[in-house]
Structure formats: structure tokens, C-alpha cells
Amino acid sequence: MTRAAPGRRSRDYWRAAERVLVGGVDSPVRSFRAVGGSPVFFASGRGAYLTDVDGRRYLDLVGSWGVNVLGHAPPSVVAAVARAARRGLTFGAPVPDEHRLASEIRRAAPSLERLRFVSSGTEAVMSAVRVARGFTGRAKVVKFAGGYHGHSDGLLARAGSGVATHALPDSAGVPPSVAAETVVVPYNDADALASQFERAGDAIAAVVVEPIAANIGVVPPRPGFLAEVSRLARQHGALVIADEVITGFRLRKGTVHESLGLSADLITLGKIMGGGLPIGAYGGRREVMETVAPLGPVYQAGTLSGHPLAMAAGLATLARLSPATYRSLDRIGASLEAMLRDAAEAARVAPFTVQRAGSMLGTFFASGPVVDETTARRSDRSRYARFFHAALDRGVYLPPSPLETAFASAAIRPADLARARTALFAAMRAARGGRR
Ligand SMILES: *Cc1c(COP(=O)(O)O)cnc(C)c1O
């Protein structure tokens, strides 16, 4: 069934929001600017589905940008948050769930020998960079083009996610002196990294990298690339920061950098491990982390850090994640990948490329393989916009940007996939022509 989305109530709320919130939103990619039209407002979510304020249901393939790996409002997580809320909302003092969640994380991801909770992924990476600078006494940070590491000043250069979506080369408001401390290298290009190390090796504090780039669609590392990143960093006395804010707990219960050949000194986490509440964490080698206050000279703090509700939600979420969860996520991802390919073939949409890592899918209306930001940007944006809107009208919620990743949840059942198939085949036909 086709129903033009957004509905009347969403459009009314949008007008009201635009009068008080800048651009109508609290985070730019939510604004639908990359696909046109105005956003859908949601009233609730349960399992694999979202319900909008006009009462329409959508199979959710965004999952709050990767957070909701178990689907919406898993009952055990909601119950844990409610129990924690009844005990008190915040104390600004230690609560036992902080070290309990930290222990669970370390059990799943032993490279976080010591860790600290913060309230967002941005804060986690910003703090890890400060630690790397404090530990090495150096100033420069290397990042890869299209890598998104949150919106702290120094890491906005050539960033993925909304920065890429809105075609901002960098952000205004970042002083040149700050930007000058960031060196940007193409993803998957070890030679370019090597020449930066040749040029400025003794000034580089850290290389920050997404083990699988997931903020320009899904771009896996080439074989050997990540091992070369760690080798070059070690050779030049720089640290490696594995930004696993998306990949952590998405592809397995824990982190993925080790199995991809990256040896990291610091690791950042966020999204999934907060169970849907605001969270971030950074951690790593004990010797490096012990430079953080109160043990060392690197200052970092937070009124709401280790928030009791986020700790409770995180513990309840991790308790639900098992090898079976990840097998099922991988099967769902594989079905969606095949479905998208078949739909493109049936509709004779070319070029079209899907790149998948487990339950994360990058769809590019471009020829593959997509290996870096440059090749990702070749994706036909207007085709994606047509595809997005046609899917939305048929009850499938995709990321409202051609450069964002789609995320499946473990709540998706075979019947949901069958329904998605019809919608996605029709959407692909719409992507080819000018029709919806
Ligand atoms: C989402 C994301 C961040 C930023 O996390 P926020 O919680 O949005 O601040 C950092 N790094 C990566 C890889 C991300 O995907």
C-alpha cells in the first residue's frame, strides 16, 4: 500500500519545530535535507517497527543510527531502566552499576583494560584524543577522510555522517590553528599514511580510525590495511585509537578491531552499549589510561557521566547479546543484501552496489567496490532520494541520506523481511525513473 509520508501531523509538528529548534532538529541528518521533504515524527517504537504520529507503521532500518540492535523497547531493558529510575535519577557519585557494566564490557572487549564512561561518542573520542596527546606529548592527530568521530573541533575535518551528507568540507567555527593539528588521509590508503608519517611522524600523537568505515555507507578495510596502520603508528611512536562507537557490539559481543588486524592503544565505544540512553566510553591500555585524572595529569570529567539509567540500560542490553543474536543479525543482513541486489537487478537499476558487514548495509547507486570517501561520493543522490521516499511511502524507514548506513535489528522476523521485499522492489523501480 502506498501512502505519501510524512502525514499531516508530522507536517504540523515540523512547522512548529522549525519555529523553535534550529533547522527544526537537534541533529542535522534528521532534517531530511539530503533526500528532500520534511521528516516523519515518531510516536513510538516496538520491536522491528516504528509508529509515526499519524499512526503509520514502518519497518525500521535505521535503529536510531545503529543503537537499537535488539529493536525498539526490549522489555527487559525498559524494565531495568524503570527500576533504576525508581532508585533515583542521578547522584553525581559512584553507583555499583558503573563497575558492573565496565566489567561486562571488559569481559567482552579485553583491550579496554581500564575505561571511563562519558555521555556521548563525541565525548569519548574527544577524550581519547586528549589522552593520546597527554601520553605522547605530541599534538597532531591523523584521521581518514569520511571517518566520523563525533563533532569535536579537531575531528570535523573531512568527516563522514552529517558533515558529508551536507557537503561541508569542514565546519565553520573551528579555528585554523585547531584544524592544523588534524591530518586527513584517504581511507584504505596505507601509502598516503606512510608519507604523512615520513613528513611529520614525531609530531603525531595518534591515528584515529573506524575499523570498518560506517559513516560513508559501509566501507570495509582492505586486507592488510589496518595492520599497516598499527605498524606505522608503532614505528613512529604514535598511538592508535580504534573508534568502535558503531562497530562495538554491532558485529559481535565486543570489539572488532583485533580480528581485523588492528592493534589499538585506545578504544572508543557508544551507541549500542548504552541500550538507547546517552552514553560513550573510552578505554584501553592501563598504562595509557592511567594518565587520566584523578590518577594522572589529563583532565576529563562529567556531571552525568556513568548515568545510572544508562548503566542499567547497558547492562540489560549486554545481557541479551549472545552468539545466537549475532548469527541471527548476520542472517537478516544477508537477506536484506540479497533483496536489495535482486530488486536493483529486477528494476534494471545500474550501477548499484551493496556493501555489508553483518547487520550494517551501505547502499550506493554507483559502481563498486566503494573503498573510500571519493568512491562513496559517486553515489547518485537523486536516485537515492527517490528510493528513500518510495520505501518510506511503503512502510520501510531507511536512513534519510545516501551516505548513511542502514542497520537491521535482531527483532526483524522472516515475515517482516517478506513485507520489506515488496516495498523495496517497488522502491527500486521508483529509483530508476522519476516516479514514486
Ligand atoms: C556516532 C559516532 C560517533 C559520535 O557519537 P555521538 O554519540 O553521536 O556523539 C563517533 N564515532 C563514530 C564512529 C560514530 O559512528
Side-chain angles (χ1 to χ4, degrees), residues 3 20 29 38 80 108 161 182 192 202 205 209 259 263 296 361 366 376 386:
R3 316 149 302 182
V20 280
V29 282
S38 66
S161 191
T182 306
D202 56 2
V209 59
S259 64
S263 118
L361 295 121
R386 290 199 294 275

Side-chain angles (χ1 to χ4, degrees), residues 90 168 184 269 281 349 427 429:
T90 175
L168 305 170
V184 185
L269 295 170
V349 167
R429 285 193 296 275

Side-chain angles (χ1 to χ4, degrees), residues 261-426:
L262 183 72
S263 118
D265 305 281
L266 289 163
I267 299 95
T268 53
L269 295 170
K271 297 194 169 112
I272 290 176
M273 57 103 192
L277 277 90
I279 202 166
Y282 66 102
R285 275 166 54 201
R286 178 173 173 176
E287 172 202 12
V288 177
M289 284 301 290
E290 287 186 345
T291 58
V292 178
L295 296 185
V298 175
Y299 194 72
Q300 185 276 311
T303 301
L304 296 174
S305 291
H307 194 276
L309 301 195
M311 299 296 109
L315 278 165
T317 299
L318 263 51
R320 286 274 316 273
L321 299 174
S322 68
T325 315
Y326 292 99
R327 281 196 297 275
S328 139
L329 281 164
D330 190 58
R331 273 195 302 272
I332 296 163
S335 301
L336 286 165
E337 177 186 4
M339 197 183 290
L340 288 161
R341 280 221 180 88
D342 293 350
E345 213 174 279
R348 293 199 194 83
V349 167
F352 180 71
T353 304
V354 193
Q355 297 188 167
R356 177 176 75 93
S359 51
M360 318 195 288
L361 295 121
T363 54
F364 307 92
F365 289 94
S367 39
V370 173
V371 296
D372 56 15
E373 190 198 28
T374 307
T375 43
R377 280 186 181 284
R378 290 189 188 136
S379 189
D380 183 332
R381 290 166 160 248
S382 50
R383 215 161 230 190
Y384 184 86
R386 290 199 294 275
F387 178 62
F388 167 84
H389 279 290
L392 188 72
D393 291 348
R394 288 165 180 80
V396 175
Y397 189 68
L398 294 166
S401 159
L403 289 175
E404 297 282 357
T405 294
F407 295 92
S409 79
I412 296 177
R413 302 278 167 261
D416 306 320
L417 288 171
R419 201 172 311 164
R421 188 181 172 84
T422 314
L424 292 175
F425 270 63

